[in-house]
Amino acid sequence: MACYYRQHADTTVTVPKFTNESSSGGVTYYDIKVRVGKVEWLVERRYRDFASLHEKLVGEISISKKLLPPKKLVGNKQPSFLEQRREQLETYLQELLIYFRTELPRALAEFLDFNKYDIIYLLQDLAKLFNESGDALLSSKKEYNLSALEVYAISERLSLPCPPSLDRGGKYDFSHVLDFCTQLVALVVTPVKDNASYAQDYNTVDVPIDRSNIIPNRLSFNLNAFRNLKTLKFSALSTENIVDIELLKPTLQTICVHNTTIQNINQVLLCDNLHKHCDVPSLLPETILASPSGSGPSTSNGSALVSADAWQEITELDLTGNLLTQIDGSVRTAPKLRHLILDQNRIRTVQNLAELPQLQLLSLSGNLIAECVDWHLTMGNLVTLKLAQNKIKTLSGLRKLLSLVNLDLSSNQIEELDEVNHVANLPLLETLRLTGNPLAGSVDYRSRVLARFHERAAEISLDNEPGNQQELDTALVLSALLQSKQRQQQK
């Protein structure tokens, strides 16, 4: 990313071309190319924009009025004149850079879009915003969205020596940004801000920002400025951009990562760990955080284990809309996890959940799960299980999830009503969704399902609705027939 303060000697500004927009009444635009080190971007400006800039600089900085080529009223659309003016405007901008060697005035910085791409000037915009509205933004207790570029700028600025004359103590001072970041409790990081299309544009290919060569997915940063975060959300941007997340582990409670190409959970929970691609399940049992109270694993002699990889407070992990293929062993670095949401991925099997004793909600909707084999051995204390839009045909593997209260099996491949028997015996089950399965198209489907619950039929909400009186009456009759049939089979 650009930093004119450090790279002013390696900065160039040119005006390579001009264009006439016939749709805008023949208005002429000049393309300005700015390069700071390896970072480049284009800015489009009219002559009137140059004139407005020059007027500000003359008034505020007292530069010479003669620097800018004068306006011409007649013949100003002739190609030869426009080419001459292009050269003059290029010379004008180059002379301004010579004049302002290390620090650009705000008017010039904004004219050349330094406040969009340069660390110092971008953070000045944030500082002004937080100085004026920071308290209101924090008091609303809502999450705040920063672009990858802004988070990168904050990270880089922390390692810079303080620039000598950049509005120290004023409205553009970096201290306003730091103050806001240290108080923020919920942060959302996206490739760009205020662009609803980023989820489609940035999650699979390296798309640059606007007319620059800056690619968000290639920006690496730390989150050391955000010391009190409780919620961290990434969308269309991999958490592997984070090079240091250690300071967040004692406080972070929720992590959400959506619309990325990550294939493993360790790319999130071990995002800054060099060994995340090792055989995590065999490495972690002796390194997960544990406490004497038994909230986590411990050694055979009962001593507590402390790991740099452990997430001490995380209770919710939401990885909806990625390319996950499995639940790898890194989930064990979050022993207090209560909600695990893995919707819209490519998961086929469920594993590595046995050491999450506090897990209450598991959501796996929109995956590729075809079988549920003895899941009670993996998730004994589960309260809510969501398995909509998978390929499940049989429910026998769910028959011993005795703590289950809510079960969503909608839009699977369950054909036989007898499969309901496996979950009808769960003592605490209250809500069941089966809509979208082949069996849901059978005659008297609702009554026939409720009949499987026998005397508990009235307590069950099926497909978001409790049974009406007619359905319950029919279910009562069917229940008696089922019980009679079972008795005969037992004889």
Side-chain angles (χ1 to χ4, degrees):
M1 186 172 169
C3 183
Y4 184 71
Y5 169 67
R6 289 186 300 182
Q7 300 169 299
H8 57 87
D10 192 19
T11 297
T12 61
V13 178
T14 58
V15 183
K17 68 175 184 177
F18 62 87
T19 56
N20 282 313
E21 295 288 344
S22 57
S23 61
S24 303
V27 174
T28 302
Y29 291 92
Y30 296 90
D31 256 6
I32 304 169
K33 183 177 182 180
V34 184
R35 182 187 63 80
V36 182
K38 296 181 179 180
V39 178
E40 299 177 353
W41 66 89
L42 294 173
V43 186
E44 192 175 69
R45 295 287 183 257
R46 298 174 59 179
Y47 177 80
R48 66 165 60 176
D49 299 321
F50 280 88
S52 177
L53 166 69
H54 190 62
E55 184 178 347
K56 291 178 182 177
L57 294 179
V58 169
E60 297 172 7
I61 315 295
S62 299
I63 66 171
S64 171
K65 292 183 178 181
K66 297 180 180 180
L67 274 180
L68 184 70
K71 186 175 183 179
K72 184 178 180 182
L73 297 178
V74 180
N76 60 3
K77 301 298 181 183
Q78 296 297 321
S80 58
F81 169 75
L82 292 175
E83 175 60 23
Q84 181 185 18
R85 174 170 279 179
R86 181 197 65 77
E87 295 174 355
Q88 292 172 335
L89 293 176
E90 181 175 274
T91 300
Y92 169 74
L93 291 174
Q94 291 171 348
E95 289 179 351
L96 289 181
L97 285 192
I98 294 172
Y99 190 82
F100 303 110
R101 289 183 181 274
T102 59
E103 180 185 353
L104 303 177
R106 283 295 301 181
L108 180 56
E110 292 174 1
F111 178 85
L112 295 176
D113 279 353
F114 273 79
N115 58 322
K116 292 183 179 180
Y117 306 112
D118 183 281
I119 291 174
I120 300 298
Y121 300 98
L122 181 152
L123 290 178
Q124 284 186 1
D125 275 5
L126 278 183
K128 181 175 181 292
L129 171 65
F130 296 151
N131 180 46
E132 296 173 351
S133 307
D135 290 341
L137 292 171
L138 291 170
S139 63
S140 67
K141 297 183 179 179
K142 294 181 179 179
E143 56 195 32
Y144 189 77
N145 179 201
L146 288 173
S147 70
L149 201 57
E150 290 170 330
V151 177
Y152 174 85
I154 294 169
S155 173
E156 287 294 297
R157 179 65 179 82
L158 288 172
S159 64
L160 282 178
C162 186
S165 59
L166 290 175
D167 186 53
R168 189 170 300 175
K171 63 182 179 180
Y172 295 120
D173 191 75
F174 181 56
S175 63
H176 300 307
V177 177
L178 277 184
D179 184 53
F180 181 86
C181 292
T182 54
Q183 296 183 67
L184 191 65
V185 296
L187 171 65
V188 181
V189 185
T190 53
V192 293
K193 288 175 70 172
D194 304 322
N195 184 350
S197 67
Y198 64 75
Q200 290 78 35
D201 292 345
Y202 290 93
N203 62 347
T204 57
V205 292
D206 290 337
V207 179
I209 300 172
D210 295 331
R211 302 182 72 191
S212 75
N213 65 347
I214 301 174
I215 297 174
N217 275 318
R218 297 182 185 176
L219 298 174
S220 298
F221 46 79
N222 63 56
L223 295 172
N224 293 341
F226 304 90
R227 298 187 175 228
N228 291 299
L229 276 188
K230 293 184 179 180
T231 298
L232 176 62
K233 297 183 179 182
F234 269 56
S235 187
L237 186 74
S238 174
T239 48
E240 290 192 300
N241 289 50
I242 305 172
V243 295
D244 185 5
I245 202 169
E246 192 66 28
L247 290 176
L248 297 187
K249 290 184 176 179
T251 61
L252 208 59
Q253 297 174 1
T254 300
I255 296 180
C256 303
V257 180
H258 305 312
N259 301 314
T260 77
T261 56
I262 62 169
Q263 297 182 5
N264 296 288
I265 297 175
N266 61 36
Q267 292 174 267
V268 176
L269 294 181
L270 300 176
C271 59
D272 60 347
N273 190 313
L274 294 176
H275 307 291
K276 60 176 170 285
H277 296 300
C278 296
D279 185 9
V280 178
S282 65
L283 293 175
L284 289 178
E286 297 182 358
T287 59
I288 300 176
L289 178 72
S291 66
S293 64
S295 60
S298 61
T299 59
S300 57
N301 62 7
S303 61
L305 300 169
V306 178
S307 166
D309 291 330
W311 296 89
Q312 301 171 27
E313 298 298 329
I314 280 190
T315 59
E316 179 174 343
L317 180 62
D318 184 348
L319 305 181
T320 298
N322 299 292
L323 301 179
L324 300 179
T325 58
Q326 62 176 326
I327 303 175
D328 61 63
S330 64
V331 295
R332 291 185 281 171
T333 62
K336 294 183 180 180
L337 201 62
R338 293 167 62 87
H339 295 173
L340 179 58
I341 304 169
L342 304 173
D343 298 341
Q344 306 301 322
N345 281 284
R346 299 177 179 180
I347 296 170
R348 295 178 183 273
T349 60
V350 174
Q351 56 192 357
N352 293 312
L353 300 181
E355 294 184 46
L356 300 178
Q358 300 187 39
L359 187 65
Q360 293 189 357
L361 181 150
L362 176 63
S363 187
L364 290 163
S365 297
N367 279 279
L368 302 174
I369 298 170
E371 292 184 307
C372 310
V373 180
D374 292 332
W375 278 14
H376 63 282
L377 299 177
T378 301
M379 52 189 89
N381 299 317
L382 209 61
V383 174
T384 298
L385 178 59
K386 298 182 179 182
L387 293 169
Q389 299 176 336
N390 278 279
K391 299 180 178 182
I392 297 169
K393 294 182 179 181
T394 178
L395 306 180
S396 59
L398 307 179
R399 68 191 184 283
K400 293 184 180 180
L401 291 176
L402 301 181
S403 59
L404 205 60
V405 176
N406 309 296
L407 178 59
D408 185 355
L409 293 163
S410 55
S411 300
N412 275 277
Q413 298 175 13
I414 306 167
E415 297 181 1
E416 302 297 329
L417 276 163
D418 285 346
E419 291 297 326
V420 179
N421 294 339
H422 296 301
V423 297
N425 292 322
L426 298 177
L428 302 180
L429 192 66
E430 295 179 358
T431 65
L432 176 63
R433 294 195 70 206
L434 292 170
T435 183
N437 284 278
L439 63 79
S442 60
V443 178
D444 290 332
Y445 146 72
R446 287 180 55 83
S447 295
R448 295 170 71 188
V449 169
L450 292 172
R452 308 284 166 154
F453 290 86
H454 303 296
E455 67 276 3
R456 293 188 59 237
E459 302 171 9
I460 302 301
S461 172
L462 178 60
D463 299 338
N464 297 327
E465 289 182 40
N468 59 39
Q469 193 58 52
Q470 182 180 351
E471 290 169 342
L472 292 175
D473 289 342
T474 305
L476 183 61
V477 174
L478 294 173
S479 171
L481 294 173
L482 286 171
Q483 290 174 331
S484 175
K485 182 178 179 181
Q486 290 171 357
R487 286 193 294 268
Q488 290 177 357
Q489 289 174 345
Q490 290 171 359
K491 291 179 181 180

